[in-house]
Amino acid sequence: MSSEPQNPPMEEEEANNAAAQSKKAAKKEAAKLEKQRRREAASVAAAETADTLADNYGDVPLEELQSKSVTGREWAEIGALTADLEGRAVLVRGRAQTIRGVSKKMAFLVVREKGFTVQCVVCVAPDLVSPQMVKFITGLSRESYVDVHGIVSVPKDPIKGASQQVEIQVRKLYCINKALPALPINIEDAARSEVEIEKALQAGEQLVRVNQDTRLNFRVLDLRTPANQGIFRIQCQVENIFRQFLLSEGFVGIHTPKLIAGSSEGGSAVFKLDYKGQPACLAQSPQLHKQMAICGDFGRVFEIGPVFRAEDSFTHRHLCEFTGLDVEMEIKEHYSEVMDVVDRLFVAMFDSLNEKCKKEFEAIGKQYPFEPLKYLRKTLRLTFQEGVQMLKEAGIEVDPLGDLNTETERKLGQLVSEKYGTEFYILHRYPLAVRPFYTMPCCDDPAYSNSFDVFIRGEEIISGAQRVHVPEFLATRAESCGIEVKTISTYIDSFRYGAPPHGGFGVGLERVVMLFCALNNIRKTSLFPRDPLRIAP
Amino acid sequence: MSSEPQNPPMEEEEANNAAAQSKKAAKKEAAKLEKQRRREAASVAAAETADTLADNYGDVPLEELQSKSVTGREWAEIGALTADLEGRAVLVRGRAQTIRGVSKKMAFLVVREKGFTVQCVVCVAPDLVSPQMVKFITGLSRESYVDVHGIVSVPKDPIKGASQQVEIQVRKLYCINKALPALPINIEDAARSEVEIEKALQAGEQLVRVNQDTRLNFRVLDLRTPANQGIFRIQCQVENIFRQFLLSEGFVGIHTPKLIAGSSEGGSAVFKLDYKGQPACLAQSPQLHKQMAICGDFGRVFEIGPVFRAEDSFTHRHLCEFTGLDVEMEIKEHYSEVMDVVDRLFVAMFDSLNEKCKKEFEAIGKQYPFEPLKYLRKTLRLTFQEGVQMLKEAGIEVDPLGDLNTETERKLGQLVSEKYGTEFYILHRYPLAVRPFYTMPCCDDPAYSNSFDVFIRGEEIISGAQRVHVPEFLATRAESCGIEVKTISTYIDSFRYGAPPHGGFGVGLERVVMLFCALNNIRKTSLFPRDPLRIAP
């Protein structure tokens, strides 16, 4: 994925005279062209020197950008440029997104900052803008950083090619940093919706479609699209609402170690490493340590941090590294107390997102159109048995003591949406056999467990349960699940010094954003995704 | 560190007859004792059956704790028990911290929840409390979880042995979960201050001192001390203030990958692993990816997440895994814009901690007494050269183009504190040679750089700088620092598509808490610390 500038080819041993002679001729030709190029450059330079308005534009030398001075100048945010600034002089910094020379005397420039764009107009005018300045601007490479000084104006007709409904009449323009003239992907192409591509195709025009892999190879370019700017600002909001809600309910934010002795919760899906001569692995979840924090008297805890899965899952919904939102809490009587937290937390989150992130959803929706999530004020709870029954009535037979697969989960999501009018619901009392060893069995039927999954648009986003807090029982459960008790003795020992009944859940941050926005691939909601085939950039 | 219950020894092959015979005798004796034990147990059971008030106490069977029912009962928080509840019936859940039987008719019990404690009094009374109930309570093991039903009363004299100034007159008491009778460390011992130990020693009494390693081996017990409850609640606050401040200034929270191809920023201090057949390592910092996020147009970003250092540092201030607080931002003109953020952020943080965490600081101070941090409203900034000069004037010669070591940093901290009355300050314009390759040199003197460190109580907590944003220059800088440019080509390439001047900084969360509270070891501010010798629990 390197796009380094081409180095001059190494001189190779010459094979025969003919080749050498043709090379000589080529060299001669090259030297001639070079001479010509220099002559032209000199004449351009002369013309520029002759420009009495030459101070109004040009490349800023690096020295000026090395913290040379503090001038006190103020830069306006492009996203904040509105009609009430009409007639005012502004200074903005952003990228030259598109540059269009209309004539030798006029050019248009769309400048972008954080996904917002403004149209800039350069017109030759005596004592203000020289033809050389128009030429300089027309020659800028896309995505270069520029400082634009100008006057805000409000055109009669609405502006189609930019987010802000004002223009800047350019007075001065300096290039801060140049982009390569040939970009591996154009932001315009990367920001295009499928609908647009299809429509153009029907009109006989073939527009560029940037595929997912190319996007990820050149992620720093891809991230600049308005949709991606929106996605990661929403991700930040999801995390923030999660934190603020839990803090308001008395939870303590913690950080547990990702480097774990031995092999974590077991299984082959761990990344192993050598820790100063000891076998170690990366935590598949903060499960064990967040429970230990409960044994350490923190009452209610949460953690936001990376979790690592070495699974070979090549699906739209699995990553090898993602951000886990984890919760663990004492429960007084019933695992419904944990579901109550899930319920209040997510309804509050959806409400807040819908209210505060309108601009971001709009930006995403333009490229990836989606319907707002349907959810109830009080989250629907169905037992696993009720879910199985619903599927049965729809003609789908599933093992009542087995797990649902992605397909049956999606089908059940559909049925629930039709019957209850919600795309967000909780399914609880899962069969014990399909849950981890530390899950508390139901008291009235040991074939079932005090556990739950939560679904958005038919896909699982949360897994939770009451945990076994009695060490002897925990050891028995581990054994019957085929886990060697010795390997998890520090974990089990944590419960020997008094442990309260407790439960919790885990959520994948990327999945929440993906499903809330009905995106089709989790790689779209991970800044620099890691999957079995990708560990760069 | 295992404290599993003893298993019955496996029967071994008998070596000779004598041994066999002695074994037989032992067995006979054991059988006799067992009979006697059963007889006694039966008589106790009979006595308990005879107790008409037997429903008021006892062990709660596991079944009742498996989410059997939701009763709607309410539990009061121990920390919220105050005199205005006098005469009211309450139900609390917590740990039996200390149990003291005064006679067969009376016992005291201190119950603890999240570091708060309340004294409970059990007195035999007709129709309320039986002698058997007192016996049951006296027999509880420390740290067991109990539900206490009782009436709040206010004693005449202040209560010394508990945080709450009310008592509970116990009516019912149930044991939810039993702790092992012999704990590896007592909370009382773990909570003791050095001052207390010294004082007792002078009075001829030798109190138990729990050393750091034992604490960490049994961290779930150690975490229960009031000081530790305070430390980790403050840590949570520090993180929260960091987030909220940055969000309020337009920063976006991001998550960058911890799994990195190749060897991160280089150097030997990385944890290496195999990533699906590719060589990979754990990120030593989010440095490269947070800069890439800036190239991805996010303008201002921050990240809170684990960073990994495989260094063999056996000091009081180094860990192999800690929580990094990282910031990166576009700068318009000068790296002072980054220092401005540091200044506002930390002054706001210290103010907020001092205001909101009084209880926590009090709890920490009882065990680890400390003076509040001295800091100015506007943070002092000294250049490196000024720092060197101050040291010189104090008779300490340091290399003006070298780095300071821990000792000279501490000395300079002292001098600054004396001269300027602050224990929090910024030292900037470090020699270029002692900073990473991506640091921007000063425009007026390439021997110095646009970089800074920040100190609390003479110890470094923050490192920051303007970065080189020009790809060709970055490559040159990497080369002259002995880094093979090929290995960081994806990073350098990120700057080829237009990059703004930018800078940022990184902070260690554990260090901030350690130094703000003047604690002497970073292991005290990490929940489950990882150092070269420790990867458990």
Side-chain angles (χ1 to χ4, degrees), chain A residues 52-113:
Chain A
T52 52
L53 298 169
D55 283 351
N56 289 350
Y57 61 95
D59 293 322
V60 177
L62 177 59
E63 191 195 322
E64 295 289 326
L65 302 168
Q66 281 178 278
S67 301
K68 198 176 181 187
S69 59
V70 180
T71 63
R73 288 177 297 171
E74 274 186 24
W75 278 258
E77 292 249 338
I78 289 179
L81 295 178
T82 50
D84 54 328
L85 292 172
E86 191 171 11
R88 292 268 289 274
V90 290
L91 163 59
V92 298
R93 179 173 292 179
R95 294 182 184 279
Q97 177 169 286
T98 52
I99 304 122
R100 189 160 52 90
V102 180
S103 69
K104 285 189 176 176
K105 294 191 166 182
M106 191 179 183
F108 289 99
L109 185 75
V110 172
V111 179
R112 192 185 71 240
E113 184 187 28

Side-chain angles (χ1 to χ4, degrees), chain B residues 88-229:
Chain B
R88 292 270 288 275
V90 291
L91 164 59
V92 298
R93 179 173 292 178
R95 294 182 184 279
Q97 174 170 288
T98 51
I99 304 122
R100 189 160 53 90
V102 179
S103 69
K104 284 190 176 177
K105 294 190 166 182
M106 191 180 182
F108 288 99
L109 186 74
V110 173
V111 179
R112 192 186 71 240
E113 185 187 26
K114 297 178 190 168
F116 299 102
T117 44
V118 65
Q119 181 154 277
C120 303
V121 189
V122 211
C123 278
V124 170
D127 299 332
L128 285 174
V129 174
S130 64
Q132 290 94 325
M133 179 165 164
V134 174
K135 193 181 170 195
F136 170 79
I137 290 173
T138 315
L140 285 170
S141 53
R142 284 175 173 211
E143 298 298 299
S144 292
Y145 253 90
V146 291
D147 267 359
V148 181
H149 301 249
I151 311 295
V152 176
S153 68
V154 182
K156 278 181 213 158
D157 300 321
I159 299 169
K160 277 188 189 167
S163 67
Q164 305 311 113
Q165 292 306 306
V166 296
E167 282 181 343
I168 297 179
Q169 304 297 325
V170 180
R171 291 292 174 264
K172 297 176 184 180
L173 192 148
Y174 305 99
C175 181
I176 296 297
N177 185 265
K178 281 181 193 172
L180 282 182
L183 298 174
I185 49 178
N186 286 320
I187 308 305
E188 234 176 324
D189 296 333
R192 195 168 286 135
S193 73
E194 277 300 311
V195 176
E196 228 178 310
I197 293 171
E198 290 302 320
K199 221 186 246 174
L201 206 61
Q202 279 164 17
E205 193 189 356
Q206 181 111 33
L207 295 177
V208 174
R209 173 189 279 126
V210 186
N211 73 34
Q212 190 61 53
D213 232 39
T214 308
R215 287 176 189 278
L216 296 180
N217 287 340
F218 302 100
R219 191 63 160 163
V220 295
L221 282 158
D222 183 42
L223 288 173
R224 299 175 191 172
T225 62
N228 276 336
Q229 291 288 312

